[in-house]
mmCIF file of all heavy atoms in Angstrom:
data_model
loop_
_atom_site.group_PDB
_atom_site.id
_atom_site.type_symbol
_atom_site.label_atom_id
_atom_site.label_comp_id
_atom_site.label_asym_id
_atom_site.label_seq_id
_atom_site.Cartn_x
_atom_site.Cartn_y
_atom_site.Cartn_z
ATOM 1 N N HIS A 46 -3.960 2.399 -11.916
ATOM 2 C CA HIS A 46 -5.154 1.977 -11.173
ATOM 3 C C HIS A 46 -4.800 1.267 -9.850
ATOM 4 O O HIS A 46 -5.641 0.873 -9.103
ATOM 5 C CB HIS A 46 -5.982 1.001 -12.001
ATOM 6 C CG HIS A 46 -6.503 1.593 -13.244
ATOM 7 N ND1 HIS A 46 -6.920 0.848 -14.315
ATOM 8 C CD2 HIS A 46 -6.663 2.893 -13.630
ATOM 9 C CE1 HIS A 46 -7.334 1.661 -15.282
ATOM 10 N NE2 HIS A 46 -7.186 2.902 -14.885
ATOM 11 N N ASP A 47 -3.466 1.139 -9.661
ATOM 12 C CA ASP A 47 -3.015 0.336 -8.504
ATOM 13 C C ASP A 47 -2.531 1.268 -7.385
ATOM 14 O O ASP A 47 -1.745 0.856 -6.527
ATOM 15 C CB ASP A 47 -1.896 -0.624 -8.919
ATOM 16 C CG ASP A 47 -0.755 0.069 -9.649
ATOM 17 O OD1 ASP A 47 -0.808 1.322 -9.767
ATOM 18 O OD2 ASP A 47 0.180 -0.624 -10.075
ATOM 19 N N CYS A 48 -2.989 2.515 -7.416
ATOM 20 C CA CYS A 48 -2.612 3.513 -6.399
ATOM 21 C C CYS A 48 -3.825 4.038 -5.668
ATOM 22 O O CYS A 48 -4.886 4.146 -6.260
ATOM 23 C CB CYS A 48 -1.901 4.661 -7.043
ATOM 24 S SG CYS A 48 -0.333 4.246 -7.841
ATOM 25 N N CYS A 49 -3.686 4.369 -4.396
ATOM 26 C CA CYS A 49 -4.651 5.168 -3.657
ATOM 27 C C CYS A 49 -3.902 6.379 -3.087
ATOM 28 O O CYS A 49 -2.717 6.267 -2.746
ATOM 29 C CB CYS A 49 -5.264 4.352 -2.517
ATOM 30 S SG CYS A 49 -6.236 2.942 -3.033
ATOM 31 N N VAL A 50 -4.598 7.478 -3.011
ATOM 32 C CA VAL A 50 -3.956 8.712 -2.550
ATOM 33 C C VAL A 50 -4.560 9.106 -1.190
ATOM 34 O O VAL A 50 -5.779 9.160 -1.042
ATOM 35 C CB VAL A 50 -4.192 9.889 -3.553
ATOM 36 C CG1 VAL A 50 -3.591 11.158 -3.063
ATOM 37 C CG2 VAL A 50 -3.665 9.492 -4.928
ATOM 38 N N GLU A 51 -3.691 9.354 -0.231
ATOM 39 C CA GLU A 51 -4.186 9.769 1.078
ATOM 40 C C GLU A 51 -3.598 11.100 1.498
ATOM 41 O O GLU A 51 -2.403 11.343 1.331
ATOM 42 C CB GLU A 51 -3.792 8.705 2.141
ATOM 43 C CG GLU A 51 -4.347 9.073 3.534
ATOM 44 C CD GLU A 51 -4.240 7.908 4.528
ATOM 45 O OE1 GLU A 51 -4.121 6.727 4.092
ATOM 46 O OE2 GLU A 51 -4.244 8.184 5.753
ATOM 47 N N VAL A 52 -4.511 11.926 2.015
ATOM 48 C CA VAL A 52 -4.063 13.211 2.644
ATOM 49 C C VAL A 52 -4.324 13.029 4.120
ATOM 50 O O VAL A 52 -5.461 12.733 4.517
ATOM 51 C CB VAL A 52 -4.800 14.389 2.051
ATOM 52 C CG1 VAL A 52 -4.472 15.666 2.823
ATOM 53 C CG2 VAL A 52 -4.501 14.546 0.572
ATOM 54 N N GLY A 53 -3.286 13.211 4.918
ATOM 55 C CA GLY A 53 -3.400 12.914 6.355
ATOM 56 C C GLY A 53 -4.172 13.941 7.126
ATOM 57 O O GLY A 53 -4.655 14.933 6.597
ATOM 58 N N ALA A 54 -4.269 13.656 8.447
ATOM 59 C CA ALA A 54 -5.024 14.526 9.357
ATOM 60 C C ALA A 54 -4.547 15.973 9.222
ATOM 61 O O ALA A 54 -3.341 16.263 9.244
ATOM 62 C CB ALA A 54 -4.861 14.030 10.777
ATOM 63 N N PHE A 55 -5.543 16.877 9.117
ATOM 64 C CA PHE A 55 -5.266 18.304 9.070
ATOM 65 C C PHE A 55 -4.275 18.654 7.940
ATOM 66 O O PHE A 55 -3.548 19.653 8.071
ATOM 67 C CB PHE A 55 -4.782 18.802 10.434
ATOM 68 C CG PHE A 55 -5.645 18.363 11.560
ATOM 69 C CD1 PHE A 55 -5.255 17.358 12.423
ATOM 70 C CD2 PHE A 55 -6.937 18.915 11.715
ATOM 71 C CE1 PHE A 55 -6.088 16.948 13.453
ATOM 72 C CE2 PHE A 55 -7.782 18.464 12.729
ATOM 73 C CZ PHE A 55 -7.363 17.489 13.591
ATOM 74 N N ARG A 56 -4.291 17.818 6.883
ATOM 75 C CA ARG A 56 -3.466 18.057 5.689
ATOM 76 C C ARG A 56 -1.996 18.215 6.035
ATOM 77 O O ARG A 56 -1.255 18.938 5.359
ATOM 78 C CB ARG A 56 -3.991 19.273 4.920
ATOM 79 C CG ARG A 56 -5.401 19.081 4.398
ATOM 80 C CD ARG A 56 -5.940 20.327 3.692
ATOM 81 N NE ARG A 56 -5.239 20.627 2.453
ATOM 82 C CZ ARG A 56 -5.464 20.034 1.299
ATOM 83 N NH1 ARG A 56 -6.368 19.078 1.226
ATOM 84 N NH2 ARG A 56 -4.795 20.400 0.199
ATOM 85 N N ARG A 57 -1.549 17.488 7.091
ATOM 86 C CA ARG A 57 -0.143 17.623 7.457
ATOM 87 C C ARG A 57 0.789 16.783 6.600
ATOM 88 O O ARG A 57 1.976 16.984 6.598
ATOM 89 C CB ARG A 57 0.006 17.230 8.940
ATOM 90 C CG ARG A 57 -0.456 18.320 9.904
ATOM 91 C CD ARG A 57 -0.003 18.045 11.321
ATOM 92 N NE ARG A 57 -0.704 16.901 11.839
ATOM 93 C CZ ARG A 57 -1.485 16.928 12.966
ATOM 94 N NH1 ARG A 57 -1.616 18.021 13.613
ATOM 95 N NH2 ARG A 57 -2.070 15.836 13.390
ATOM 96 N N TRP A 58 0.270 15.778 5.915
ATOM 97 C CA TRP A 58 1.091 14.999 5.027
ATOM 98 C C TRP A 58 0.232 14.401 3.904
ATOM 99 O O TRP A 58 -0.985 14.413 3.995
ATOM 100 C CB TRP A 58 1.793 13.854 5.795
ATOM 101 C CG TRP A 58 0.885 12.898 6.518
ATOM 102 C CD1 TRP A 58 0.373 13.031 7.777
ATOM 103 C CD2 TRP A 58 0.291 11.711 5.980
ATOM 104 N NE1 TRP A 58 -0.457 11.993 8.073
ATOM 105 C CE2 TRP A 58 -0.536 11.149 7.005
ATOM 106 C CE3 TRP A 58 0.378 11.051 4.777
ATOM 107 C CZ2 TRP A 58 -1.260 9.952 6.829
ATOM 108 C CZ3 TRP A 58 -0.331 9.836 4.602
ATOM 109 C CH2 TRP A 58 -1.140 9.322 5.615
ATOM 110 N N ALA A 59 0.865 13.927 2.888
ATOM 111 C CA ALA A 59 0.163 13.250 1.817
ATOM 112 C C ALA A 59 1.006 12.143 1.262
ATOM 113 O O ALA A 59 2.283 12.238 1.290
ATOM 114 C CB ALA A 59 -0.182 14.259 0.703
#
Side-chain angles (χ1 to χ4, degrees):
Chain A
H46 298 160
D47 54 4
C48 296
C49 294
V50 178
E51 182 168 340
V52 174
F55 309 106
R56 296 177 67 80
R57 283 192 292 239
W58 58 271

